[in-house]
Amino acid sequence: MDALPALSFTPAVGDLPFTPKQRSLLSLAHELGRTKFAPRAAQWDESASFPFANYDDLREAGLLRLCVPESHGGLGADFATYMMVAAEIGRFCGATALTWNMHICSTMWTGVLADGIAMTDAQRAEHAKRRELHFARIVNDGAIYAQPFSEGSAAAAGRAPFGTTAKKVDGGWLINGRKIFASLSGAADYYGVLCTEDRGDEHPDARDTLYIAVPATSPGFAISGDWNPLGMRGTVSRNLAFKDVFVSDDEQLMPRGIYFRGAQTWPAMFFTLAPTYLGLANAAYDFTVQYLRGEVPGEPPVKRRQYPTKQIAVAQMRIQLEAMKSLFGRAIAEARPNPSKDEKLRLYAAHYSVMEGANDIARLAIRTCGGQSMMKHLPLERLYRDSRCGSLMLPWTAELILDRMGRETLYEAGERDA
Ligand SMILES: Cc1cc2nc3c(=O)[nH]c(=O)nc-3n(C[C@H](O)[C@H](O)[C@H](O)COP(=O)(O)OP(=O)(O)OC[C@H]3O[C@@H](n4cnc5c(N)ncnc54)[C@H](O)[C@@H]3O)c2cc1C
């Protein structure tokens, strides 16, 4: 029998059979979000500036080390726990949740996910030694990691090697190239760059992808470009340039060849972008209910709930939200290395449903609440803009999910038409 006290709120992921640790982390995230992140969200959006104050709070609450193993001083959260907590943060500030995802992935991919990737004993030993350094930076110094992989080419879509290269030199690597859309630009202490090993021949190969941390203070590293987007404005996702940037061997976040294997072994690693948007969908739905009941603080107590058309729209929103949560809950419960074909297709379906569904719900929310609800002093128009961004995020854009799902449904691995 469950003797734990019930949560005082319904988490963004729904009412799942949470462990005590998950309950306590969800309560922490909910409280931080409600009292700190929600009141500040408009400010980052308006000025397209990074939510530094939220990061101070995340650091103080221990949430920057959420996925660092307990043996290394972290909170030791597993994949599913991270996904639940991220959705909770997303309902209060999308930009904070999305950037926090980039940081967390640098610890989750090198931590619990890497533990599920096949490595030789030598690779495992190398990885164990190197990740200690990265974990210690986060645990002891509160360091922030970014995760730039996009380059504006087919590489981030997983269809070509990265154009950014790393050439082996004595004691480390020389990095050259550029990245676009690097969230946390100027805020991160380290940039976990995906690049292709330059072996000196003409045939770059995606199997030679390297995952390397570049310290923000490295000579030859520069941030450029404006950041004035439609939504997720607080992510500050600018361009990065690397000109003969030297990093030591210790900066490798994974041994040679392991990132490529990891991406194939653990497809759910890319699903980590979704919880932010599940959080946004919850926020749009919650706002709509509050607004139609005339209960939004600071607004005139005008009720609009009596109109059948609005009741129907709320029902539609709830149905879509429940479907998203169910798929999401199932996908995080069964996320594992080497999922079955059905599990993988369900994962794609969950990702697509959340990324497209979040914006559907925000769109319905504005239509249903009406003109006065889209004013800038209310959160709905920001939720609408932020929620549009999920489907654009590589490698699993909404289009690429459809593409993968269709192909992988109709073709078994290695099958070709004559
Ligand atoms: C708010 C926000 C934050 C972000 N933060 C980060 C971050 O921290 N790190 C990071 O690396 N990226 C980040 N991104 C970038 C994101 O993941 C994408 O890489 C970016 O939106 C791609 O822009 P694009 O115009 O080059 O995309 P697209 O042109 O859509 O795609 C780039 C290339 O992928 C291939 N491709 C795309 N769609 C298809 C298709 N349907 N079929 C076949 N090939 C296709 C094509 O070669 C295309 O040229 C962020 C994006 C947003 C919106």
Side-chain angles (χ1 to χ4, degrees):
M1 226 176 76
D2 190 355
L4 290 163
L7 289 166
S8 60
F9 60 96
T10 305
V13 288
D15 198 7
L16 299 173
F18 302 117
T19 64
K21 181 171 179 163
Q22 287 167 346
R23 281 183 196 212
S24 115
L25 286 167
L26 283 168
S27 297
L28 175 66
H30 185 84
E31 232 12 60
L32 260 186
R34 193 179 63 79
T35 59
K36 304 276 179 66
F37 301 169
R40 294 175 188 147
Q43 145 191 3
W44 322 121
D45 177 62
E46 194 181 335
S47 53
S49 60
F50 187 76
F52 281 105
N54 294 355
Y55 271 72
D56 290 343
D57 291 332
L58 288 168
R59 188 179 290 109
E60 199 183 312
L63 290 175
L64 290 186
R65 53 191 168 87
L66 180 76
C67 290
V68 173
E70 285 177 1
S71 55
H72 291 75
L75 302 186
D78 60 13
F79 180 86
T81 305
Y82 162 68
M83 298 293 277
M84 293 170 183
V85 177
E88 203 53 37
I89 293 181
R91 82 197 286 180
F92 300 107
C93 180
T96 299
L98 193 61
T99 50
W100 184 60
N101 170 72
M102 313 308 181
H103 166 82
I104 288 290
C105 280
S106 73
T107 59
M108 190 162 62
W109 291 8
T110 54
V112 68
L113 263 59
D115 293 344
I117 305 171
M119 294 190 207
T120 64
D121 289 348
Q123 286 171 329
R124 186 73 65 199
E126 174 196 315
H127 185 59
K129 181 172 150 282
R130 294 214 168 111
R131 72 181 180 181
E132 243 177 63
L133 168 75
H134 299 283
F135 291 157
R137 284 171 175 165
I138 294 165
V139 172
N140 301 335
D141 312 332
I144 300 174
Y145 276 64
Q147 201 186 37
F149 62 88
S150 298
E151 298 181 343
S153 72
R159 304 201 162 180
F162 288 99
T164 302
T165 58
K167 195 175 178 59
K168 190 77 195 83
V169 291
D170 215 16
W173 300 91
L174 266 194
I175 316 280
N176 278 288
R178 66 184 286 275
K179 295 283 177 185
I180 64 167
F181 270 102
S183 292
L184 302 113
S185 302
D189 303 292
Y190 299 92
Y191 293 82
V193 176
L194 288 168
C195 47
T196 309
E197 180 168 352
D198 175 0
R199 292 177 177 275
D201 59 24
E202 303 279 290
H203 307 290
D205 190 326
R207 278 169 295 201
D208 293 326
T209 301
L210 285 161
Y211 181 27
I212 300 186
V214 175
T217 51
S218 305
F221 168 72
I223 300 172
S224 65
D226 286 341
W227 177 247
N228 188 13
L230 168 82
M232 289 294 184
R233 293 168 56 81
T235 61
V236 190
S237 310
R238 298 171 65 202
N239 306 326
L240 309 181
F242 306 87
K243 177 105 184 64
D244 289 332
V245 176
F246 173 80
V247 295
S248 83
D249 286 326
D250 288 339
E251 298 298 347
Q252 254 179 270
L253 288 163
M254 282 184 178
R256 275 169 152 154
I258 296 301
Y259 172 81
F260 182 78
R261 196 179 298 160
Q264 291 181 324
T265 307
W266 256 111
M269 71 195 275
F270 302 120
F271 188 44
T272 56
L273 292 166
T276 295
Y277 295 90
L278 181 60
L280 291 174
N282 272 270
Y285 171 81
D286 290 345
F287 178 88
T288 304
V289 172
Q290 228 186 355
Y291 191 82
L292 296 181
R293 288 172 57 86
E295 292 172 349
V296 173
E299 292 299 293
V302 178
K303 293 189 191 349
R304 294 169 169 86
R305 65 183 177 187
Q306 60 277 28
Y307 303 115
T309 45
K310 298 197 188 295
Q311 294 168 6
I312 288 168
V314 168
Q316 286 175 321
M317 289 167 71
R318 180 74 188 223
I319 289 166
Q320 189 163 6
L321 189 59
E322 288 297 334
M324 280 160 66
K325 288 185 189 191
S326 295
L327 257 178
F328 186 92
R330 175 90 188 255
I332 62 174
E334 60 190 17
R336 62 183 174 97
N338 301 309
S340 69
K341 177 172 172 174
D342 273 341
E343 286 167 343
K344 205 167 163 192
L345 292 175
R346 214 159 24 241
L347 183 63
Y348 293 149
H351 192 84
Y352 181 92
S353 300
V354 171
M355 295 311 210
E356 287 288 80
N359 193 242
D360 282 347
I361 287 180
R363 174 183 61 78
L364 268 176
I366 291 191
R367 193 192 79 184
T368 306
C369 292
Q372 292 182 61
S373 73
M374 59 146 198
M375 295 297 160
K376 285 270 184 192
H377 70 283
L378 295 172
L380 203 48
E381 62 86 33
R382 184 182 70 250
L383 297 173
Y384 178 73
R385 289 183 286 105
D386 283 354
S387 65
R388 184 60 282 171
C389 298
S391 297
L392 315 180
M393 305 203 64
L394 291 170
W396 286 5
T397 62
E399 287 182 351
L400 283 161
I401 287 283
L402 291 175
D403 184 56
R404 278 171 177 271
M405 275 189 87
R407 199 176 52 250
E408 292 178 31
T409 301
L410 297 172
Y411 290 79
E412 296 303 325
E415 249 185 345
R416 301 255 182 290
D417 292 317

